[in-house]
Amino acid sequence: MKPRRSVYIFARAPMIGAVKQRLAADIGEMEAWRFYRETTSMIVRRLTADVRWRTLLAVTPDRRARTSWRYPPGVKQIPQGTGDLGRRMTRVLSRDPFQSSVIVGSDIPNIEPAHIAQAFAALMCHDAVFGPSPDGGYWLVGVRDIRLLPGLFGGVRWSSSSALADTLANIDGRRRISLIDTLVDIDDGAALAHWRARALSD
């Protein structure tokens, strides 16, 4: 029986010079590309191994969604579609109106299946769930039914410290919201250095 839960990993096709541009400005395009490719592959392997949900890779640009990459093997790839990040996330979350779905980023190396399970557990009694990032954004968003949250991503200032606050402000006060663990997304050289230092000390 197909799992009644879906995880969508939002990813950009791993082309040198087209991924992690803020990180590339600090560590170089080749190193940024290598980090992004390896991190995305690691996240996909971790999440697809868990049979409690189905995992799909939502790719931009669309023409790359049907291209066979060297990684990850076996995972279904779908196009994100056009528009800003909010329009693309709304489109993907609308694919499964009768089941809980979550979206995660592909630059959060500390994502574990336990975090996804935590999000789905929250959606059993909440309408939306978010995984905050220290920079004011979020690494995960999940909904029980996107139709209950009209305009969820409208007017959100993406890539800013206000992204989570803007999104929460769009939600009707009658809806129940849950926040799960805070994880770091790697956007620049300082964040990468901090994450690597923490990883070595653990």
Side-chain angles (χ1 to χ4, degrees):
M1 179 180 296
K2 185 176 73 172
R4 297 289 294 170
R5 298 168 171 176
S6 297
V7 176
Y8 295 95
I9 302 171
F10 260 45
R12 182 170 290 277
M15 298 176 289
I16 297 174
V19 296
K20 306 306 298 178
Q21 294 180 346
R22 285 171 55 194
L23 180 61
D26 292 337
I27 67 173
E29 289 184 347
M30 182 63 70
E31 286 301 313
W33 169 78
R34 183 176 292 113
F35 167 81
Y36 185 75
R37 184 186 63 178
E38 292 175 355
T39 301
T40 303
S41 182
M42 175 179 63
I43 292 171
V44 171
R45 287 197 305 270
R46 285 179 183 170
L47 300 189
T48 55
D50 201 305
V51 298
R52 290 175 290 178
W53 50 75
R54 63 170 185 160
T55 302
L56 301 92
L57 194 61
V59 181
T60 190
D62 286 0
R63 67 181 183 278
R64 294 284 177 172
R66 298 176 179 84
T67 301
S68 294
W69 299 353
R70 292 183 180 178
Y71 72 92
V75 65
K76 181 177 181 181
Q77 299 178 33
I78 63 169
Q80 293 180 18
T82 58
D84 69 5
L85 179 58
R87 289 179 63 87
R88 287 180 276 135
M89 290 201 297
T90 298
R91 181 179 298 113
V92 168
L93 290 173
S94 298
R95 288 171 55 93
D96 304 304
F98 303 109
Q99 66 181 45
S100 296
S101 300
V102 303
I103 291 173
V104 297
S106 52
D107 56 356
I108 303 94
N110 289 338
I111 292 178
E112 297 285 351
H115 295 116
I116 306 302
Q118 184 184 17
F120 282 127
L123 288 174
M124 294 180 68
C125 54
H126 295 82
D127 297 296
V129 60
F130 294 88
S133 298
D135 60 6
Y138 45 95
W139 60 270
L140 175 146
V141 56
V143 299
R144 184 161 53 178
D145 187 337
I146 190 65
R147 296 171 301 177
L148 301 177
L149 302 162
L152 178 61
F153 303 116
V156 173
R157 289 167 284 182
W158 302 112
S159 301
S160 80
S161 60
S162 302
L164 178 57
D166 288 348
T167 307
L168 295 177
N170 289 331
I171 299 176
D172 188 309
R174 294 171 297 178
R175 299 300 173 193
R176 299 189 65 189
I177 303 165
S178 177
L179 300 180
I180 60 171
D181 293 346
T182 298
L183 296 181
V184 175
D185 52 349
I186 309 299
D187 286 328
D188 55 29
L192 179 60
H194 180 71
W195 172 74
R196 283 176 171 167
R198 289 288 301 271
L200 287 174
S201 65
D202 289 343

